[in-house]
Amino acid sequence: MDHVRIIAQIPGLRRYARALTGNAWVADDLVQDTLERACSKWRLWAPDSDLRAWMFTLMHNQFANDVRRLARQRQSGVQVDLDDVPNELAAPDAGQDLSIDLQRCLLQLPEEQREVLLLASMEDMHYEDIARVTGTPVGTVMSRLSRARARLQLLLDAPPVATGQSMAMASTVTPLRRMK
Amino acid sequence: MNNKDRKTPRPLSDDELHALVDDQLLPVDRPAFEKRLAQDPDAQARVAVWRQQKAALRDLHRAMLDVPVPDQMMVAAHRVATKQQDVNQWWRWGGMAAGVMLAFGVGWFSHTAWSGSGQRSASAAQTDFVRQAGFAYAVYAPEVKHPVEVTSAEQEHLAQWLSKRTGRPLKIPKLSSEGFELVGGRLLPGEQGARAQFMFQNAQGTRVTLYLGSLGASVKGLDSRETAFSFNPDGPVPSFYWVDQGFGYAITGSVPRDQLMKLAESVYRQL
């Protein structure tokens, strides 16, 4: 396969990862890990299939792994590397207030809803493709999308103080940290 | 909304509204859908909100699309591409291939580009190869009960098995864009070891086969070369065939020549 075709996917993957993780460093680690994954999984790539969908599938799997690993580490009380702390504390990258707010609200959605919402909205991906990428039935994709849009709207409409409360409510959400 | 206006028996479902927002409604469904939406202010409000949301998400981090790709990612992308090329060694033309194949396209008749002592035996080996492909087609394509040994249901096993026996990692090409679905495959004897036959069938029941296998390192000039597509109109059924790194490929079937050419191109691109 032509490397140009792979490189052409990278900006889109970086942006998606950025929105998914809410952190530029974590996002680039996720993209890098996805590319490494592509190196080892290339046998599963069918040349006539959609390269973009394949890359997003690899990223989905990588992301799911990272989230699981992080959850395990938290449970077993693994100490956080000091290097990670600034990233965790840092607010999302500077930008317009609106996009900061949107990013903040996005991060309060459960990962699986956030993924589906971003794939459908930001990436304009077909529902069937989202189902393939996330390895879930289309019906599940639709219900996640529905819940994600409803929830995101509630979060966006809520005044800032109230969002603090809803953040506490969303304690199951595991923010992804930089692993390296 | 008063009762008189309620012509729709069923309120719009969330799924339908999402499909509208994401522009994934079937065009045929759209007019009827718009009609129903016009009578449902609640749904209109939801659609408006979701559209706004979607527009905001589409703009989120948009600037990142223009940021240069970091070197480390470039390196990794090259590595992915190289890995694939390492195995698809006989597929060296990369992105140029499709264009080259078109240039060689319909109306162009076979020849092999090299000369020297290997030429005669090489072309003889190819002629034999495509003739065997034709025979194999003639024997198995009309078969109703047992056209294949392993069916498409066990596609992965089929690919592994035939890869092992023919000594090449084989990927089963997908020809659904040309209207052909995999029926299955079988192992066949050839002069230089095992040959494989994959059978495909379209909705009309027309079958084409992909026959492949080693032409043997002993045939001078074929072990490291690629030949262009050749058309063989002789034999029981016509074939397009080519040789790549000592491996022969023939796509055979009673279909018009340009269709056969398209199938051959598709196979070539995928293997």
Side-chain angles (χ1 to χ4, degrees):
Chain A
M1 192 204 316
D2 201 345
H3 64 272
V4 176
R5 285 180 61 209
I6 300 171
I7 291 169
Q9 300 296 327
I10 294 178
L13 286 168
R14 290 182 79 197
R15 172 165 90 129
Y16 169 73
R18 177 75 179 74
L20 189 63
T21 64
N23 177 295
W25 289 104
V26 175
D28 275 0
D29 281 350
L30 178 58
V31 174
Q32 190 71 42
D33 289 346
T34 300
L35 289 166
E36 305 299 340
R37 212 180 175 88
C39 281
S40 59
K41 303 275 176 177
W42 58 268
R43 273 173 203 280
L44 302 174
W45 156 250
D48 63 331
S49 63
D50 183 351
L51 176 63
R52 177 166 168 263
W54 186 61
M55 298 295 292
F56 273 95
T57 307
L58 292 177
M59 183 175 273
H60 161 80
N61 295 338
Q62 185 63 43
F63 180 65
N65 273 3
D66 290 352
V67 169
R68 269 197 302 273
R69 187 176 49 188
L70 194 71
R72 262 203 314 274
Q73 282 178 357
R74 287 220 161 147
Q75 256 175 359
S76 57
V78 170
Q79 293 293 307
V80 177
D81 194 323
L82 265 184
D83 184 41
D84 291 340
V85 176
N87 289 314
E88 277 195 275
L89 296 178
D93 284 356
Q96 291 178 335
D97 285 354
L98 188 74
S99 73
I100 292 178
D101 196 42
L102 179 58
Q103 180 68 69
R104 183 180 55 80
C105 293
L106 261 180
L107 290 177
Q108 291 175 53
L109 299 178
E111 284 94 5
E112 67 274 9
Q113 289 181 23
R114 201 186 314 151
E115 270 190 306
V116 168
L117 177 67
L118 287 172
L119 290 174
S121 304
M122 180 183 262
E123 299 300 325
D124 253 331
M125 204 177 269
H126 268 275
Y127 300 147
E128 287 81 9
D129 288 338
I130 298 176
R132 276 194 295 146
V133 164
T134 57
T136 49
V138 176
T140 310
V141 168
M142 295 314 292
S143 64
R144 283 179 184 171
L145 180 61
S146 209
R147 270 178 282 147
R149 281 188 168 144
R151 179 112 189 250
L152 182 63
Q153 205 53 46
L154 278 178
L155 292 166
L156 287 169
D157 289 343
V161 184
T163 10
Q165 284 165 355
S166 54
M167 249 175 134
M169 274 162 57
S171 58
T172 50
V173 177
T174 322
L176 201 57
R177 279 170 301 161
R178 199 175 181 213
M179 300 304 294
K180 291 174 191 161
Chain B
M1 193 193 305
N2 57 44
N3 282 336
K4 196 175 64 180
D5 286 334
R6 273 213 197 140
K7 284 176 199 153
T8 44
R10 184 166 63 89
L12 290 156
S13 75
D14 257 16
D15 285 6
E16 288 171 311
L17 296 177
H18 288 298
L20 176 74
V21 171
D22 294 319
D23 206 16
Q24 295 193 29
L25 281 176
L26 291 175
V28 282
D29 296 340
R30 226 184 147 108
F33 183 88
E34 301 277 4
K35 227 181 209 170
R36 284 161 67 201
L37 183 65
Q39 295 166 354
D40 190 340
D42 281 356
Q44 285 168 30
R46 260 181 298 164
V47 166
V49 166
W50 290 344
R51 279 196 165 131
Q52 217 176 359
Q53 233 184 56
K54 176 158 176 150
L57 286 169
R58 271 176 152 171
D59 276 346
L60 186 64
H61 307 307
R62 184 170 275 284
M64 286 195 68
L65 295 177
D66 301 322
V67 175
V69 173
D71 288 347
Q72 214 185 342
M73 290 181 194
M74 292 286 241
V75 171
H78 273 278
R79 230 173 33 241
V80 180
T82 315
K83 283 227 169 186
Q84 293 186 323
Q85 273 157 10
D86 277 353
V87 163
N88 298 341
Q89 261 181 10
W90 61 94
W91 172 226
R92 282 241 172 97
W93 295 350
M96 268 178 63
V100 172
M101 291 332 300
L102 284 173
F104 283 174
V106 182
W108 187 89
F109 193 68
S110 82
H111 71 277
T112 47
W114 66 89
S115 57
S117 59
Q119 186 171 4
R120 186 170 298 276
S121 62
S123 64
Q126 284 185 74
T127 312
D128 281 349
F129 177 81
V130 71
R131 202 165 44 215
Q132 284 154 4
F135 289 152
Y137 179 94
V139 171
Y140 294 111
E143 225 358 274
V144 179
K145 265 194 156 169
H146 306 291
V148 295
E149 283 178 284
V150 177
T151 64
S152 58
E154 294 175 274
Q155 197 160 342
E156 204 175 314
H157 164 66
L158 179 65
Q160 279 171 0
W161 171 51
L162 293 178
S163 297
K164 205 171 148 198
R165 293 308 306 272
T166 58
R168 277 267 165 117
L170 298 177
K171 271 180 192 152
I172 302 177
K174 288 204 174 63
L175 299 175
S176 29
S177 59
E178 308 296 329
F180 284 86
E181 298 297 338
L182 182 71
V183 179
R186 65 166 64 243
L187 188 68
L188 294 166
E191 271 157 283
Q192 303 284 338
R195 302 255 166 96
Q197 185 193 48
F198 295 108
M199 193 175 294
F200 299 85
Q201 183 173 314
N202 69 8
Q204 288 78 47
T206 306
R207 285 173 172 172
V208 297
T209 59
L210 170 65
Y211 179 85
L212 49 87
S214 172
L215 285 178
S218 61
V219 181
K220 237 178 151 184
L222 277 180
D223 49 348
S224 60
R225 306 242 187 184
E226 294 160 331
T227 69
F229 276 5
S230 302
F231 183 61
N232 176 37
D234 305 327
V237 274
S239 297
F240 265 105
Y241 64 101
W242 66 97
V243 179
D244 222 328
Q245 305 283 312
F247 225 63
Y249 301 83
I251 186 112
T252 305
S254 304
V255 295
R257 181 171 164 166
D258 53 344
Q259 195 184 358
L260 202 57
M261 178 74 190
K262 270 189 197 148
L263 288 164
E265 278 173 13
S266 177
V267 169
Y268 185 82
R269 234 178 289 127
Q270 293 178 47
L271 285 173

